[in-house]
Amino acid sequence: MKMPSETMPARLLRLFGFCLLATALLAAAARAQTLPLPDNLTDLNSPAGEKYFAESGALVTYFSIADHFVTQKTQAYCGVASIVMVLNAAGVPAPTTPEYQPYHIFTEDNLLDERAEAILPQAVLARRGMTLDQLGALLALHPALTTEVHHAVDGGLDTFRAAARDYLASKDHFVVVNYLRKAIGQQAGGHISPLAAYDAKEDRFLILDVARYKYPPVWVKASDLFGAMNTADKSNDDKTRGYVLVAKIGGAATPAPIR
Amino acid sequence: MKMPSETMPARLLRLFGFCLLATALLAAAARAQTLPLPDNLTDLNSPAGEKYFAESGALVTYFSIADHFVTQKTQAYCGVASIVMVLNAAGVPAPTTPEYQPYHIFTEDNLLDERAEAILPQAVLARRGMTLDQLGALLALHPALTTEVHHAVDGGLDTFRAAARDYLASKDHFVVVNYLRKAIGQQAGGHISPLAAYDAKEDRFLILDVARYKYPPVWVKASDLFGAMNTADKSNDDKTRGYVLVAKIGGAATPAPIR
């Protein structure tokens, strides 16, 4: 019987390939605290994510919000977690809580008062989360801040990119986005999280995803993010999702120099 | 009556100086979510803090732990918060909780099981926090990790600096420090938090302080931090405080190149 000379090496090669694949899968499984990312999204904690960060020159802008990164306390609390991050990052005078006496900080437990209840009853929040307009209205309760709600349909990609880029380069300025996860290849519904940086070279924004049990912070193309915001929200009279621009009154309006 | 010619300008100058001072004090007060820092500590979210970060070349190492930054849930939970950050950063297989079903993540509520209770009863933890040895023992419950407890007195500053620097430059390697706050000019007692970066030029480590209601992340001189670890802990038989080196089994032992 004649055996083709390449058979054994080919088999070995296939076996080697299989081992490599198995090793990669095992490594992924061992780390699988979060869901896998589609190719269009880049984990901040990766060589490419690091490169985009260095390109973005964000640093201080990034730190001001990342120092206050929290996980949403339930699967409906993405908006609450995002508001808490912005208020603490802006240094808005905060209430205290029994566990932190005498210190003051906004938490997902002490944020919602009777004024918030009038905008969004906690029973509704627990069931359905919050809409873009409710997010804006809850932020606007704080007189130390200016708040602008922008539905994606009211402006194009260029308007969003320019505003978000300028805010992310300015001290005490913040951007919170409301987008449809499945439009950027994530699972699955509407979501809210703060942005933390912009990389002009890649035209990508960094989302600090508050569902940390589900996804890491990701760099997303501006056009992909805009497309995911430009989607109808049936909980909000089919208006499109969008973004909220927040600035601390007295915060530097001129963009910080891009380094 | 003769009036000296410089009186009015001098008065205006004093008034101007007073206004500047008042403005600065008001700005500080409006932001006073946290306590003021002594001169030897540098806020990460400041121009100097940013400079040290850029010098450190930390990026991926920093992100792996900062992406999981949490606030200690009570004033006794600094050790619990630090362990949660390390376990999530290392991707150790986590339990789920009712609010995050079907996702898995370590939280300050689901970390402590009956094995932890045998090491440190929750009633004791709630009253006194944890010691360096209890911190090490709780981390050592996880077979995915190697854990080394180092009391400061057992090695000098150089030993600590070299080990912490190498760990902070290696993937899936972490350093948790236990130090006396008042020895670095903070208020006041023993504290535990993870390190996130090392800036060789300034010889400073970055502490991600889990008491976020009280202090921001700070860059501290290696010698100051070592001095604050080299203090007797009366809750731990007067042994000195110190640090725990944690590595994920299979994590890259070779330091990543310093950029």
Side-chain angles (χ1 to χ4, degrees):
Chain A
M1 190 178 86
K2 188 164 179 285
M3 183 180 279
S5 63
E6 73 279 14
T7 301
M8 281 308 290
R11 277 185 186 162
L12 278 175
L13 214 59
R14 273 204 306 279
L15 184 65
F16 180 67
F18 172 78
C19 289
L20 271 186
L21 179 67
T23 305
L25 287 174
L26 279 172
R31 199 171 255 292
Q33 300 284 101
T34 51
L35 298 174
L37 289 178
D39 287 346
N40 59 315
L41 300 178
T42 304
D43 189 340
L44 172 62
N45 184 23
S46 71
E50 172 184 15
K51 179 170 166 287
Y52 301 165
F53 184 85
E55 283 170 5
S56 79
L59 298 184
V60 165
T61 301
Y62 163 85
F63 292 136
S64 78
I65 191 88
D67 283 355
H68 300 280
F69 204 174
V70 297
T71 305
Q72 59 186 92
K73 74 170 215 169
T74 76
Q75 295 191 45
Y77 263 54
C78 52
V80 174
S82 299
I83 295 171
V84 163
M85 287 173 67
V86 167
L87 295 178
N88 285 328
V92 172
T96 186
T97 57
E99 64 270 31
Y100 296 139
Q101 283 279 8
Y103 305 104
H104 291 248
I105 189 170
F106 285 99
T107 72
E108 294 176 77
D109 294 312
N110 73 13
L111 174 71
L112 301 170
D113 57 14
E114 68 285 352
R115 297 171 312 152
E117 186 73 14
I119 292 167
L120 174 58
Q122 290 199 40
V124 178
L125 169 66
R127 214 169 53 242
R128 301 202 313 209
M130 69 177 69
T131 66
L132 178 68
D133 290 299
Q134 288 161 342
L135 172 70
L138 291 172
L139 279 161
L141 288 176
H142 298 275
L145 303 175
T146 62
T147 302
E148 285 179 26
V149 175
H150 294 268
H151 290 272
V153 77
D154 296 335
L157 166 61
D158 291 345
T159 306
F160 162 66
R161 182 196 289 110
R165 180 196 59 207
D166 288 353
Y167 265 64
L168 292 173
S170 301
K171 189 168 156 56
D172 290 331
H173 284 57
F174 306 93
V175 185
V176 183
V177 290
N178 172 214
Y179 56 105
L180 184 64
R181 279 192 185 278
K182 71 180 171 198
I184 55 169
Q186 291 187 326
Q187 292 180 23
H191 191 51
I192 294 171
S193 280
L195 298 182
Y198 175 67
D199 174 15
K201 191 169 167 209
E202 292 286 329
D203 194 22
R204 282 179 188 260
F205 287 99
L206 175 61
I207 302 174
L208 291 190
D209 193 326
V210 295
R212 293 195 285 189
Y213 49 84
K214 193 171 171 186
Y215 286 111
V218 293
W219 288 100
V220 57
K221 280 274 185 196
S223 55
D224 290 349
L225 177 56
F226 184 79
M229 295 191 302
N230 200 14
T231 50
D233 181 358
K234 64 173 188 287
S235 305
N236 199 18
D237 300 329
D238 274 331
K239 288 189 277 187
T240 55
R241 296 180 176 85
Y243 53 100
V244 185
L245 302 175
V246 188
K248 188 176 181 187
I249 291 172
T254 317
I258 305 287
R259 281 159 298 267
Chain B
M1 189 177 89
K2 187 165 179 283
M3 185 180 278
S5 64
E6 73 279 14
T7 301
M8 280 310 289
R11 275 185 188 163
L12 280 174
L13 213 62
R14 272 204 306 279
L15 184 64
F16 180 68
F18 172 79
C19 288
L20 271 186
L21 179 67
T23 306
L25 286 174
L26 279 173
R31 199 169 254 294
Q33 300 285 101
T34 50
L35 297 175
L37 289 177
D39 287 345
N40 58 314
L41 300 178
T42 304
D43 188 340
L44 172 61
N45 183 25
S46 71
E50 172 185 16
K51 177 170 169 285
Y52 301 165
F53 184 84
E55 282 170 6
S56 79
L59 299 183
V60 166
T61 302
Y62 162 85
F63 292 136
S64 79
I65 189 89
D67 283 355
H68 300 281
F69 204 175
V70 296
T71 305
Q72 60 185 90
K73 73 170 215 168
T74 75
Q75 295 191 45
Y77 263 54
C78 53
V80 174
S82 301
I83 294 170
V84 163
M85 287 174 67
V86 166
L87 295 179
N88 286 328
V92 171
T96 186
T97 56
E99 64 270 30
Y100 296 139
Q101 283 281 7
Y103 304 104
H104 292 247
I105 190 171
F106 285 100
T107 72
E108 293 176 78
D109 293 311
N110 73 13
L111 174 72
L112 301 170
D113 57 13
E114 67 286 352
R115 296 172 311 152
E117 187 72 15
I119 291 167
L120 173 59
Q122 289 200 40
V124 177
L125 169 65
R127 214 169 53 244
R128 300 203 312 209
M130 69 178 67
T131 67
L132 178 69
D133 290 299
Q134 288 161 342
L135 171 69
L138 290 171
L139 279 161
L141 288 176
H142 299 275
L145 303 175
T146 61
T147 302
E148 286 179 25
V149 174
H150 294 268
H151 290 270
V153 77
D154 296 335
L157 166 61
D158 292 345
T159 305
F160 161 67
R161 183 195 289 110
R165 180 194 61 207
D166 288 353
Y167 265 63
L168 292 174
S170 301
K171 189 169 155 55
D172 289 331
H173 284 58
F174 306 94
V175 185
V176 183
V177 289
N178 171 215
Y179 56 106
L180 185 64
R181 279 192 184 279
K182 71 180 171 197
I184 55 169
Q186 291 186 326
Q187 293 180 20
H191 191 52
I192 293 171
S193 281
L195 298 182
Y198 175 67
D199 173 15
K201 191 169 168 210
E202 292 285 330
D203 194 22
R204 283 179 187 260
F205 286 99
L206 175 61
I207 303 174
L208 291 188
D209 193 325
V210 294
R212 293 195 285 187
Y213 49 83
K214 193 171 171 186
Y215 286 111
V218 292
W219 288 100
V220 57
K221 280 275 184 194
S223 56
D224 289 348
L225 176 56
F226 184 78
M229 295 190 301
N230 200 14
T231 50
D233 181 359
K234 65 174 188 287
S235 305
N236 200 18
D237 299 331
D238 274 330
K239 287 190 277 188
T240 56
R241 297 180 176 85
Y243 54 100
V244 184
L245 302 174
V246 188
K248 189 176 182 187
I249 291 171
T254 318
I258 305 286
R259 281 161 301 268

